[in-house]
Amino acid sequence: MSKGKALGLAAVFVIIILGAGFFYLGFSTNLLANDTYYTKIDNAHAAENDSTGDVIHLKSSEPFVYQLHAANEDGHEIEASFGAAHELRQDAYLKLNLEPLRGVVHWEEVSPEDLPSKAADILD
């Protein structure tokens, strides 16, 4: 085997090992995992998505855009932005599904009893 082929083969093995290590680290520390957060609706933090050119929210094409405080089951807090087709019920609790880079991809209303205790303490 020539020296060039040996170096090329070694480089391929290094790339494979580094790639496998990245995915293992990512999945074991939830860097690539989806996340679930909970929020409480406050219609004072809703904005109408205006298509006339005044204020356009690029993250959602829905008529209403919410920017709300949210918490997960561990008590980690974030500001979440998502759209809705109509104004949501005041003081309703939502379960938000988040994906890396995309943000909130799905939400649904849940009862207060369905909230994890740390998230409930933060939201109330």
Side-chain angles (χ1 to χ4, degrees), residues 43 46 62-66 83-89 107 109:
N43 283 317
E62 298 286 352
F64 291 89
V65 177
Y66 286 83
H86 53 85
E87 191 171 72
L88 301 175
R89 188 171 57 86
W107 57 264
E109 187 171 336

Side-chain angles (χ1 to χ4, degrees), residues 7-103:
L7 285 176
L9 191 56
V12 169
F13 283 126
V14 168
I15 290 171
I16 289 171
I17 290 171
L18 289 175
F22 169 75
F23 281 107
Y24 174 75
L25 177 65
F27 285 113
S28 67
T29 59
N30 288 329
L31 292 175
L32 303 176
N34 298 341
D35 234 344
T36 300
Y37 280 81
Y38 299 87
T39 191
K40 186 176 183 179
I41 295 298
D42 181 357
N43 283 317
H45 291 92
E48 288 192 49
N49 203 357
D50 187 4
S51 62
T52 62
D54 293 341
V55 177
I56 297 176
H57 296 276
L58 298 176
K59 288 194 168 195
S60 177
S61 60
E62 298 286 352
F64 291 89
V65 177
Y66 286 83
Q67 181 78 30
L68 297 171
H69 186 73
N72 68 5
E73 64 183 14
D74 297 326
H76 182 257
E77 302 176 50
I78 63 166
E79 288 294 319
S81 179
F82 61 94
H86 53 85
E87 191 171 72
L88 301 175
R89 188 171 57 86
Q90 181 69 24
D91 296 328
Y93 291 98
L94 298 184
K95 176 181 175 181
L96 309 173
N97 294 346
L98 281 75
E99 288 185 2
L101 303 177
R102 292 182 60 199

